Amino acid sequence: MDTRFSSAIHALILIAASEKPMTSEDIAGSVGTNASYIRKIIGSLKKKGIIESHRGISGYALKLKAEDLTLLQIYQAVNEIEAICLFDLHQNSNDKCIVGRHIKSVLTEMFMEMDEAIILALSGKTLADCIGSIQRRLDAAGNGCPRE
Amino acid sequence: MDTRFSSAIHALILIAASEKPMTSEDIAGSVGTNASYIRKIIGSLKKKGIIESHRGISGYALKLKAEDLTLLQIYQAVNEIEAICLFDLHQNSNDKCIVGRHIKSVLTEMFMEMDEAIILALSGKTLADCIGSIQRRLDAAGNGCPRE
């Protein structure tokens, strides 16, 4: 199970909603994991310019606006990838067979359409949407804002 | 790298296009892998009623029409899953934190939208579409049909 993506979103909601810079320990306490796992995620997010830390102040702050930060950017950052490739393609097809000769280009084209579908879905959601969803649940339960 | 899905599509194109039942060895020769890997995939496809073998005849035949067999069905069969879950969700969020309390339902809802996008894309393509793409390449290259 690879929970880097969901843990990163959780961490970023905390960082965005907090009035003071959040430390790895603060974040780990809410995510329910250890601080070293969070620090790895934080490292990937920093590398992509999504969050920043300031000399002399412990903790991290969001570098982009929550409404400008898409789930696609978060997914790419924590997986340290540029392209989305949902499905792997076998590489040793036999060129002497006419199916084997053309399968790579057929499936590359088809899998790219699948990748495009998920890129579209991931880029259509922002960190602000996640915060908004949390806020709606808090409003419905009558208990304040995520800053609490 | 998990190439079961792409190998299964390749195998199914061969099975659909062949005039005689294809054996695991025939398929492995075109996919560029070993027959035991193909037999595992074949086992999953048989379990889901996508292909069949007949007593006394070596090799497999398609049980469904190529135009009725979606990439979603193939993906589910070879991965032996019913639901598509692209992204894992961390399970130990701290309920005492208001973000931790609501993150699971927020991300479950959001990830389901991503899953729906890929389900839609995968169910929008059939084995017949793959065969059609191969055929178009053969026509363009002027070399016959996938049965050759």
Side-chain angles (χ1 to χ4, degrees), chain B:
Chain B
M1 197 154 82
D2 177 1
T3 61
R4 275 175 301 174
F5 182 42
S6 75
S7 299
I9 298 170
H10 188 151
L12 287 165
I13 293 171
L14 292 169
I15 290 170
S18 172
E19 282 169 347
K20 61 176 181 59
M22 296 287 288
T23 67
S24 309
E25 287 73 19
D26 297 333
I27 296 166
S30 175
V31 174
T33 185
N34 56 68
S36 75
Y37 184 70
I38 294 298
R39 274 193 289 272
K40 274 184 205 154
I41 291 172
I42 290 291
S44 304
L45 296 171
K46 276 178 74 175
K47 205 189 284 179
K48 280 287 173 190
I50 291 172
I51 55 172
E52 59 187 346
S53 52
H54 296 288
R55 195 181 289 268
I57 305 169
S58 77
Y60 313 99
L62 209 62
K63 209 171 164 184
L64 301 178
K65 285 183 186 165
E67 53 270 34
D68 293 335
L69 178 56
T70 68
L71 295 199
L72 179 64
Q73 288 169 283
I74 302 169
Y75 185 79
Q76 287 171 314
V78 294
N79 288 292
E80 305 201 348
I81 52 167
E82 288 303 320
I84 304 282
C85 290
L86 288 180
F87 310 119
D88 296 320
L89 189 58
H90 57 292
Q91 298 294 329
N92 302 318
S93 300
N94 187 347
D95 272 354
K96 287 181 190 147
C97 164
I98 57 176
V99 175
R101 201 181 310 146
H102 295 288
I103 192 77
K104 194 171 176 176
S105 76
V106 166
L107 290 188
T108 297
E109 194 178 286
M110 222 162 252
F111 287 177
M112 273 175 68
E113 283 183 46
M114 309 298 152
D115 295 335
E116 279 302 322
I118 206 68
I119 286 168
L120 202 68
L122 282 170
S123 58
K125 293 283 178 193
T126 66
L127 184 65
D129 294 325
C130 301
I131 296 169
S133 294
I134 297 265
Q135 187 61 61
R136 279 193 296 282
R137 281 161 175 82
L138 294 177
D139 292 344
N143 48 353
C145 84
R147 281 204 183 84
E148 271 173 21

